[in-house]
Amino acid sequence: MKIILYICSINQLKKLFMKKSYLFPNYFKKIGWAVSIPSIIYYILIICFDNLDFKIKMFSIFPSDQVFKESSWFSITDTTFGLTFLPMLLMLSLVFIAFSREKIEDELISKIREKSLIWSVLVFMSLFIFCTLLLYGMLYYYFYIFNIYLLLILMIFKFNFEIYKLKKSLKNEE
Amino acid sequence: MKNNIRVERAIIRISQQELADRVGVSRQTINAIELEKYTPSAIVIMKIAFIFNKRVEEIFSLEENDWK
């Protein structure tokens, strides 16, 4: 609760929007990892065991999937945690991981981040075209769900791999 | 782009970390510049030249590949 209040404080918002960089502060990366790992585990468990998901009621603009009930605009609808909050939490956490500042954020890191983003978009599009042409049925459905997060996952992987390579090639000073 | 930052550092006896702190970048960046794996921005180039009290062209030089 304190963290939410701190984040929402007016001064912090001003700093965030006045900065030239749109990156989140470094501590958002830890928040991202802390939320994404349990979310991914829970996602896999829901796919394997349907009864682990629980029903909730949510406000809907138009619940179009109700078969036996009359649908009306701006009403409460039945849904599940796995269809609402879980995807949102996972997406937010991946965004936090991908777009948080490094401890030392300089031009080289920015360049690596930019290259990682371009690479991930190109690989994402290639995989999307490949799978759309060659996968069908339930396999394509699962790929389509996974596809929502694929771009961010690719970018996180590429960025961290490049940083690892950079640190590995660091020579000791004379 | 070639450079002789390592030589200049040895002349004024500063480490990569010290140079990085003065320029405002990470030690990894200085190392990447020295190994010619990364071409820095104009601001970083000018800062390095200022710290070594030399002209930019005395530290950095263009190669044939840079013209392509």
Side-chain angles (χ1 to χ4, degrees):
Chain A
M1 192 62 192
K2 279 184 186 175
I3 293 171
I4 293 169
L5 286 171
Y6 175 72
I7 290 168
C8 293
S9 70
I10 294 169
N11 286 335
Q12 288 299 316
L13 281 171
K14 274 185 188 173
K15 280 182 192 175
L16 199 62
F17 288 113
M18 280 168 67
K19 274 184 184 172
K20 285 181 187 176
S21 167
Y22 293 103
L23 299 171
F24 295 102
N26 182 249
Y27 62 82
F28 270 67
K29 194 171 267 201
K30 289 180 187 170
I31 296 170
W33 283 114
V35 174
S36 66
I37 292 171
S39 300
I40 290 169
I41 294 171
Y42 191 44
Y43 228 132
I44 294 169
L45 288 172
I46 283 175
I47 291 169
C48 297
F49 310 104
D50 259 341
N51 56 353
L52 283 177
D53 203 357
F54 53 93
K55 292 181 184 174
I56 54 172
K57 288 189 183 292
M58 288 290 291
F59 175 76
S60 167
I61 292 174
F62 189 79
S64 60
D65 61 341
Q66 296 188 113
V67 179
F68 299 107
K69 296 180 189 177
E70 277 185 26
S71 300
S72 60
W73 290 89
F74 306 108
S75 57
I76 305 292
T77 187
D78 293 321
T79 182
T80 63
F81 180 80
L83 287 174
T84 50
F85 289 105
L86 188 59
M88 188 190 71
L89 279 172
L90 183 55
M91 183 63 83
L92 265 175
S93 61
L94 290 174
V95 165
F96 286 165
I97 297 167
F99 296 107
S100 291
R101 296 169 67 86
E102 292 295 298
K103 283 183 184 167
I104 304 172
E105 182 77 23
D106 63 2
E107 56 181 52
L108 179 57
I109 301 294
S110 298
K111 192 83 185 169
I112 292 172
R113 185 177 281 108
E114 179 195 325
K115 280 186 174 178
S116 301
L117 186 58
I118 293 169
W119 180 89
S120 59
V121 168
L122 292 173
V123 171
F124 169 79
M125 287 310 301
S126 304
L127 280 171
F128 180 78
I129 291 167
F130 178 81
C131 292
T132 302
L133 289 173
L134 297 174
L135 295 182
Y136 295 91
M138 281 306 287
L139 197 57
Y140 185 71
Y141 170 74
Y142 286 127
F143 164 74
Y144 211 77
I145 302 294
F146 177 65
N147 205 37
I148 300 168
Y149 315 103
L150 184 59
L151 180 62
L152 287 169
I153 290 170
L154 284 169
M155 196 200 151
I156 290 166
F157 166 75
K158 179 68 173 171
F159 179 72
N160 284 292
F161 181 68
E162 291 297 325
I163 296 293
Y164 166 76
K165 275 194 331 187
L166 185 69
K167 285 181 179 172
K168 204 177 169 188
S169 70
L170 189 71
K171 276 187 179 178
N172 290 324
E173 57 189 70
E174 290 169 20
Chain B
M1 185 186 271
K2 280 186 179 175
N3 66 79
N4 54 355
I5 293 175
R6 194 174 283 271
V7 172
E8 297 297 332
R9 274 201 303 114
I11 291 170
I12 66 170
R13 295 173 190 256
I14 61 167
S15 62
Q16 283 185 340
Q17 186 63 60
E18 279 179 77
L19 180 60
D21 292 339
R22 287 196 210 179
V23 173
V25 295
S26 64
R27 187 186 149 202
Q28 294 159 350
T29 303
I30 296 295
N31 188 61
I33 296 169
E34 284 185 9
L35 294 174
E36 296 167 14
K37 285 185 177 180
Y38 172 67
T39 304
S41 66
I43 292 174
V44 168
I45 286 172
M46 291 183 74
K47 279 183 178 178
I48 291 171
F50 182 83
I51 289 164
F52 292 140
N53 198 26
K54 295 265 174 85
R55 292 197 317 224
V56 168
E57 49 270 23
E58 290 178 61
I59 302 168
F60 296 92
S61 56
L62 289 171
E63 295 176 288
E64 268 194 50
N65 292 338
D66 295 324
W67 290 98
K68 289 179 185 174

